[in-house]
Amino acid sequence: MTTTDWPLWEVFVRSRRGLSHTHAGSLHAPDAELALRNARDLYTRRGEGVSIWVVPSSAITASSPDEKDPFFEPTADKPYRHPTFYEIPEGVQHL
Amino acid sequence: MTTPTVKDTALAPAALALGDDALVLSHRLGEWAGNAPVLEEEVALANIALDLLGQARMLLSMVGDEDELAFLREERAFRNLQLVEQPNGDFAHTIARQLYFSVYQHLLHTQLADGDGPFAALAAKAVKETAYHRDHAEQWTLRLGDGTEVSHDRMQQAANALWRYTGEMFQPVEGLDIDWTALQTAWLEQIEDVLRRATLSVPEGPRTGAWSAGAGRQGLHTEPFGRMLAEMQHLHRSHPGASW
């Protein structure tokens, strides 16, 4: 394999109607149209999807591992944010 | 799907012709495994090869034992087009071969799927696969033709080099209810459209070889086919009935 200067793309696949697109992986492609086709060949060959998004990896802004503590730590001791303090009325289904 | 049989009927030669096209091109595309320019493209070509292998297995099973037909026939007994046996060459040659063949196969499957013969069900399934093969070849032809100076030249050379194998595709295959004239007209229109959009010129040479006492459908093959067949059949002939 030779290295290429093709950009990297992130692939999101929706497995069924009604579900949201989920990150499946990444791949190289020269442009968006071919990225979509490569994604079809790499990530949906066993019937995994009904819809694909491709996004240039460079377009994604990610949280930094260095900011992990200020970003995520404070939520650990705030259990009242979880919907666990409600009495569920009898007869309510699908909850 | 239960496979209808056409063994010993007037349709056996047609099943063999279509099955051999798919089998031989599948093997050629398989040769890219481990050698493709990028990993993504290697998987794309392998997917196409596997689609074709599936088609070949169904068609050959209609005629007889698929393994015997694939691995124990001599070169002269194969009925595939000379186009599909041509070596991979550079990537542009592989794409030109894909373009010429997939446009043809897609038109053929569309007509067969509309009919009611024993190939209709198979063609209805295959037409979705070949539509993708056609799209793959078209996308790459556009990018190579309208790419850099080098990619343009190479794509043009490949389109020219394989042009002479395209006339054979429209020889009527015995037993198939196909409007071959319409097929050829549509094929030319579509190929010219793709080449034009790819800034390539439509090759001008003849569409048959200078020596044309017959062609692949009559069992006459080009020199590279013998070597391909030797490699493809080697394992089965050395270890008959081997399995894993």
Side-chain angles (χ1 to χ4, degrees), chain A residues 4-93:
Chain A
T4 68
D5 48 6
W6 287 358
L8 195 63
W9 303 76
E10 300 299 324
V11 179
F12 298 83
V13 175
R14 183 165 74 179
S15 53
R16 275 188 292 126
R17 282 187 200 293
L19 296 183
S20 55
H21 286 73
T22 309
H23 188 236
S26 56
L27 53 78
H28 288 96
D31 54 55
E33 287 301 309
L34 283 183
L36 208 50
R37 286 161 177 80
N38 287 347
R40 179 261 195 196
D41 285 331
L42 286 167
Y43 294 111
T44 65
R45 53 199 300 267
R46 298 180 188 89
E48 292 95 333
V50 294
S51 167
I52 303 174
W53 290 346
V54 288
V55 179
S57 302
S58 59
I60 289 180
T61 309
S63 63
S64 154
D66 301 339
E67 297 166 330
K68 195 160 80 69
D69 289 350
F71 257 62
F72 306 117
E73 193 91 331
T75 63
D77 58 352
K78 298 182 175 63
Y80 49 84
R81 290 182 179 171
H82 294 275
T84 51
F85 297 94
Y86 302 94
E87 293 286 331
I88 298 172
E90 271 196 37
V92 172
Q93 292 175 344

Side-chain angles (χ1 to χ4, degrees), chain A residues 1-2 4 6 26-31 33-34 36-38 40-42 45, chain B residues 34-44 47 50-51 132 135 139-140 143:
Chain A
M1 293 293 151
T2 54
T4 68
W6 287 358
S26 56
L27 53 78
H28 288 96
D31 54 55
E33 287 301 309
L34 283 183
L36 208 50
R37 286 161 177 80
N38 287 347
R40 179 261 195 196
D41 285 331
L42 286 167
R45 53 199 300 267
Chain B
N35 298 306
V38 291
L39 181 65
E40 285 82 352
E41 194 50 36
E42 182 163 307
V43 178
N47 272 345
L50 286 173
D51 284 348
Y132 189 80
D135 174 72
Q139 296 294 332
W140 272 114
R143 280 161 181 78

